[in-house]
Amino acid sequence: MLRFLAFRVLRALLTVAICVSAVFLALRLAGDPADIMLSIETPPDVRSHYRELWGLDRPLAEQYLRYLASVVRGDFGLSFADDRPAFAAVVDALPKTMLLGACALMLALLIGLPLGVLAALRHNSAVDRLAMAIAVLGYAIPIFFLGILLILLFALKLRMLPSAGSETLWHLILPVVTLALPLAGRLARFARTATLEVLGKPFIRAARARGVMPLSVILRHALPNAAVPLLMFIGIEIGHILAGSAVVETIFAWPGIGRLLVDSVSTRDLAVVQAVILTVTVVMVAANLLVDILHIMLDPRLGGFSRSASKPA
């Protein structure tokens, strides 16, 4: 068990290190940030001063080592735009993204899980085909198109909901729905597949042969066993939520880290871009590590707790 967890933790740390290094090199090799931040009319001596101030005059390898050392110390540098700490900008925007993502995940679970389980219980019926058609439609629509469509309908046409901002809970509805519907579609298809796989297991047929009530078979035997792959799926989908938040937050002017990332990339504010990506990477890796731990708790055989694995050969 400890060896398994140690391997997962080391893999998580390696993933974070590779991601941070790739982003650092990609941003530096894409061009000189001073050319973006400063106008063409900027005098050469002023340009040299700012390049020295931002550390851009040093060799690339030295910039990389200095950046890694500062990250280890918890110093993510200063924003090129307003000279405030880059991580402070991320901390200000992160709660908004967490609120948006948590609400979208809950809504997707409320829609996708019942739809997928219902489709599995009515396999090859009209209900199954209708449920899967709804699911396919949900995740096939691009997020940006769905967001614009919802704005046109509920904000401009019906004037029921605000289209931008984050002042009230009403501002949360359209971004959450936009982010949740594609996730609900993917979740419904996966829940259907996982439930069908469990329903075909011998212990389900044995329970039915013993005369166990159908509802009890589903609630006590099928769904708990289908929850293990579903848990892994949800852990992976956290990455899709964070990736989709950049599009959704930009469309609805939601002040989260997704919009902060888009704005920082457009101005080549390297310190903020690196802080955002590092934060997103750590959140995704931590979420998947937590899912791995929960997976071991639900299925102890993965951690070496099974009797067959503990017996001597």
Side-chain angles (χ1 to χ4, degrees):
M1 175 65 173
L2 293 178
R3 184 169 56 184
F4 180 84
L5 288 178
F7 171 76
R8 295 291 185 177
V9 171
L10 289 176
R11 189 179 68 174
L13 294 175
L14 180 61
T15 301
V16 173
I18 292 175
C19 181
V20 171
S21 301
V23 171
F24 178 90
L25 293 176
L27 290 175
R28 260 58 178 191
L29 295 177
D32 190 347
D35 295 335
I36 303 297
M37 299 297 297
L38 303 176
S39 65
I40 301 177
E41 294 79 11
T42 303
D45 56 337
V46 176
R47 184 182 297 270
S48 299
H49 168 73
Y50 277 103
R51 294 190 79 254
E52 182 179 357
L53 179 64
W54 295 333
L56 300 174
D57 60 329
R58 302 177 183 274
L60 188 62
E62 183 178 350
Q63 292 184 43
Y64 175 69
L65 293 176
R66 288 167 64 91
Y67 176 70
L68 288 183
S70 64
V71 168
V72 172
R73 296 194 306 268
D75 179 11
F76 295 89
L78 298 177
S79 171
F80 293 170
D82 53 12
D83 279 339
R84 68 167 174 165
F87 192 66
V90 177
V91 170
D92 291 341
L94 186 58
K96 292 289 186 180
T97 298
M98 294 179 63
L99 175 63
L100 178 62
C103 292
L105 180 59
M106 288 189 293
L107 181 59
L109 290 172
L110 291 175
I111 297 174
L113 279 181
L115 194 64
V117 173
L118 178 62
L121 297 178
R122 298 292 185 267
H123 184 48
N124 287 333
S125 67
V127 174
D128 182 15
R129 289 189 288 272
L130 177 61
M132 288 301 97
I134 295 174
V136 170
L137 179 64
Y139 76 78
I141 300 178
I143 289 182
F144 69 90
F145 178 76
L146 178 60
I148 294 173
L149 187 64
L150 292 177
I151 290 176
L152 291 175
L153 179 60
F154 292 100
L156 298 180
K157 182 69 175 178
L158 300 178
R159 297 185 180 277
M160 295 174 57
L161 296 169
S163 62
S166 61
E167 290 77 15
T168 66
L169 290 178
W170 295 105
H171 290 82
L172 186 63
I173 295 177
L174 290 184
V176 166
V177 173
T178 303
L179 195 57
L181 287 184
L183 175 59
R186 294 190 295 268
L187 185 59
R189 287 177 59 86
F190 194 87
R192 175 182 180 271
T193 302
T195 306
L196 282 175
E197 183 178 354
V198 173
L199 290 176
K201 296 292 184 180
F203 67 87
I204 296 294
R205 294 195 295 268
R208 288 172 172 171
R210 293 197 306 269
V212 179
M213 296 294 292
L215 183 60
S216 180
V217 171
I218 296 171
L219 296 179
R220 297 183 58 186
H221 300 281
L223 292 184
N225 286 277
V228 175
L230 282 173
L231 181 64
M232 302 298 294
F233 176 79
I234 292 173
I236 296 173
E237 285 299 317
I238 292 177
H240 289 97
I241 293 175
L242 293 174
S245 67
V247 178
V248 172
E249 290 175 3
T250 302
I251 293 174
F252 293 97
W254 185 264
I257 60 173
R259 186 184 177 194
L260 176 64
L261 177 61
V262 172
D263 294 341
S264 301
V265 169
S266 64
T267 59
R268 291 191 57 79
D269 195 343
L270 300 188
V272 177
V273 171
Q274 291 167 161
V276 170
I277 294 180
L278 178 59
T279 302
V280 171
T281 302
V282 170
V283 170
M284 292 177 60
V285 170
N288 283 275
L289 181 61
L290 178 61
V291 167
D292 287 338
I293 295 174
L294 292 176
H295 197 178
I296 296 174
M297 295 173 61
L298 293 174
D299 190 356
R301 293 172 298 177
L302 298 176
F305 287 129
S306 64
R307 292 182 179 180
S308 59
S310 61
K311 288 181 179 179

